[in-house]
Amino acid sequence: GNSVTQMEGPVTLSEEAFLTINCTYTATGYPSLFWYVQYPGEGLQLLLKATKADDKGSNKGFEATYRKETTSFHLEKGSVQVSDSAVYFCALRAGSGAGSYQLTFGKGTKLSVIP
Amino acid sequence: EAQVTQNPRYLITVTGKKLTVTCSQNMNHEYMSWYRQDPGLGLRQIYYSMNVEVTDKGDVPEGYKVSRKEKRNFPLILESPSPNQTSLYFCASSSRGQDNSPLHFGNGTRLTVT
C-alpha cells in the first residue's frame, strides 16, 4: 500500500535559519504529493503541491520538488520566521483507482522557530 | 466565508454513551472525510464520502458510523464510545475526491472518553 515517511521531530531552529524537512514515499503508479501545515489550535491547510515528476511546488517561501528517482518530496525554506512554527505534514494521493480518493499522511514534523 | 465547521470543539463523555460530532461545509464540495489525529501516528482516515449517499471506509473505521444525506453535512457517529477513541478529530472537504483540489479542514474536535 501507499505510505509516507517524514523526519521525526521536533525541529527547533533560530530565526533566519535554513529549513529542510525530509519526506519519502512509497506508492504504486504516479501519485500527487502535498505538504500541509497545521498551526496551533487549527486544522490543516494546504501549503504546496506537485502533481508530476520534477514539478516544484512553492508557497510563502517554502519549496518542494517531486523527485521520482529518489521517491522524495523534501520541504525547504531559506530563512524561517517565528510565524512558521507549526506542524508540517507530507501527504500523497495515489494516481488512479479506488485509492485515489484517499490522502495518505506522514506522521507530522513539529517545527519551533525561536527569535 | 468558505469554511468547514465542526461541533463541538471539545467533548468529554463516558464509555458507551452514544455521541455525534457534526460537520458542515458551505463550499458545495462533493467530497468529505473524517480523520483522527493521535500523537506519533499522524492523521488516519476514518470514513469518506464521494457524494450524497455514497460513503466508504478509510483506514480505521471500526467503532464509527457516518451518513451523507445532504451535500453539506457529514456527521460522525460513535454508537458506543470507548477510551481508545479518545483523540482529536478533523472533518475535511474538497470539491472532488479524485482531483488535486485542496482539502479544507475544520478546526477539530477534541474527544475524551472516560
Side-chain angles (χ1 to χ4, degrees):
Chain A
N2 300 325
S3 67
V4 175
T5 302
Q6 57 182 110
M7 62 189 287
E8 298 277 334
V11 174
T12 302
L13 295 174
S14 298
E15 208 165 21
E16 299 184 4
F18 184 86
L19 168 71
T20 301
I21 300 178
N22 290 338
C23 171
T24 57
Y25 67 89
T26 302
T28 53
Y30 302 94
S32 296
L33 302 173
F34 307 83
W35 277 100
Y36 278 80
V37 59
Q38 183 182 29
Y39 298 104
E42 299 182 8
L44 283 71
Q45 53 186 276
L46 180 66
L47 180 60
L48 54 83
K49 67 182 181 185
T51 58
K52 59 183 189 297
D54 299 325
D55 265 3
K56 178 186 281 188
S58 61
N59 186 24
K60 300 181 181 180
F62 291 88
E63 292 183 340
T65 301
Y66 187 161
R67 302 278 188 209
K68 193 170 189 305
E69 64 276 12
T70 54
T71 62
S72 65
F73 193 54
H74 304 322
L75 182 68
E76 297 182 336
K77 186 175 186 184
S79 176
V80 294
Q81 306 300 311
V82 172
S83 57
D84 294 326
S85 298
V87 181
Y88 292 82
F89 292 89
C90 186
L92 71 81
R93 173 181 282 124
S96 63
S100 59
Y101 279 107
Q102 293 181 270
L103 267 182
T104 300
F105 286 90
K107 294 182 179 180
T109 302
K110 183 175 182 180
L111 169 67
S112 297
V113 181
I114 53 177
Chain B
E1 180 189 349
Q3 58 186 6
V4 177
T5 303
Q6 296 178 227
N7 280 298
R9 193 75 194 269
Y10 300 92
L11 180 57
I12 301 173
T13 190
V14 296
T15 299
K17 186 177 182 182
K18 180 179 179 179
L19 66 91
T20 299
V21 183
T22 63
C23 174
S24 179
Q25 50 91 7
N26 63 359
M27 296 167 279
N28 202 37
H29 284 169
E30 290 184 1
Y31 179 86
M32 297 186 75
S33 181
W34 277 102
Y35 293 86
R36 59 179 288 174
Q37 183 179 16
D38 300 289
L41 296 176
L43 267 80
R44 294 179 292 169
Q45 190 176 46
I46 302 170
Y47 269 96
Y48 62 96
S49 169
M50 292 79 79
N51 215 324
V52 176
E53 303 290 3
V54 183
T55 63
D56 206 350
K57 297 177 180 178
D59 297 317
V60 288
E62 295 77 22
Y64 304 95
K65 282 176 54 176
V66 293
S67 68
R68 187 92 181 271
K69 293 184 171 59
E70 309 163 280
K71 200 170 190 177
R72 63 183 293 126
N73 296 324
F74 190 46
L76 179 69
I77 302 155
L78 284 72
E79 295 268 4
S80 183
S82 61
N84 65 11
Q85 292 178 298
T86 292
S87 188
L88 179 59
Y89 291 86
F90 288 100
C91 180
S93 72
S94 67
S95 55
R96 290 184 65 230
Q98 281 185 311
D99 63 13
N100 292 310
S101 54
L103 271 178
H104 296 258
F105 282 79
N107 283 334
T109 295
R110 186 166 291 283
L111 172 65
T112 302
V113 183
T114 61

